[in-house]
Amino acid sequence: MSCTIEKALADAKALVERLRDHDDAAESLIEQTTALNKRVEAMKQSALELIMSKYREQMFRLLMASKKDDPAHVDQITEMAAVMRKAIEIDEQQGCKEQERIFQLEQENKGLREILQITRESFLNLRKDDASESTSLSALVTNSDLSLRKS
């Protein structure tokens, strides 16, 4: 019986170590994802500012040219406005996907932490059970020893 308890304790220790490794890996992934997300956001912001600056310049030129009532310039303005609306829509969709991925990683991390906590508690309970079992066995041996001495 002590072999199975020792084996269970050894298995619990191995599981705790693996869960710690997984937890550390998940933490590392979250940190990397957060850092990468910040870099991507900064890049997107810079790119968006550049695009908007160019867009304003082009719109200004086209508006100045359209004052001459040239229908070709009006079509260009309409086309550019449509392109900008599409770019904004794509950017918003990408932002939503990134937020969903971050949420998934946070949920996975939360689940791993719960599993680690449960394993830690189980491990502590096994150790307590093992300690109480060894105490009851030593009391039994002591009582048997006393009985033999009396006789």
Side-chain angles (χ1 to χ4, degrees):
M1 184 159 129
S2 66
C3 289
T4 58
I5 291 174
E6 289 173 7
K7 177 149 177 45
L9 285 173
D11 290 346
K13 285 180 184 178
L15 285 173
V16 167
E17 285 302 314
R18 281 197 293 188
L19 283 171
R20 283 184 186 148
D21 291 343
H22 286 287
D23 190 48
D24 291 342
E27 284 291 327
S28 175
L29 282 175
I30 288 173
E31 289 173 7
Q32 290 174 3
T33 303
T34 303
L36 186 58
N37 189 33
K38 287 179 182 177
R39 286 181 52 202
V40 168
E41 283 294 324
M43 288 177 173
K44 282 168 58 177
Q45 186 64 32
S46 296
L48 189 57
E49 288 172 6
L50 179 63
I51 290 169
M52 290 305 292
S53 171
K54 295 293 182 183
Y55 173 73
R56 287 185 200 106
E57 288 176 18
Q58 194 68 10
M59 289 299 287
F60 180 74
R61 286 188 198 128
L62 290 173
L63 286 173
M64 289 298 145
S66 70
K67 287 186 178 182
K68 300 175 187 174
D69 294 324
D70 188 0
H73 290 293
V74 173
D75 290 341
Q76 282 182 326
I77 292 171
T78 306
E79 184 181 345
M80 286 184 69
V83 168
M84 287 307 296
R85 278 192 290 276
K86 184 65 177 174
I88 291 169
E89 180 182 317
I90 290 170
D91 186 55
E92 288 175 350
Q93 288 173 353
Q94 187 63 28
C96 289
K97 288 179 184 177
E98 290 171 0
Q99 290 298 326
E100 287 175 13
R101 181 66 180 144
I102 289 170
F103 178 75
Q104 287 173 344
L105 287 172
E106 288 172 345
Q107 292 301 313
E108 183 179 340
N109 188 29
K110 182 180 176 185
L112 287 172
R113 286 180 185 273
E114 289 174 2
I115 290 170
L116 180 61
Q117 184 62 32
I118 290 168
T119 304
R120 284 179 181 158
E121 290 170 2
S122 298
F123 179 71
L124 291 174
N125 287 337
L126 278 174
R127 289 181 72 185
K128 286 179 185 176
D129 290 346
D130 189 38
S132 66
E133 186 176 298
S134 92
T135 304
S136 64
L137 283 176
S138 65
L140 181 64
V141 169
T142 305
N143 289 338
S144 300
D145 194 31
L146 287 175
S147 298
L148 288 175
R149 288 182 187 172
K150 287 181 181 177
S151 41

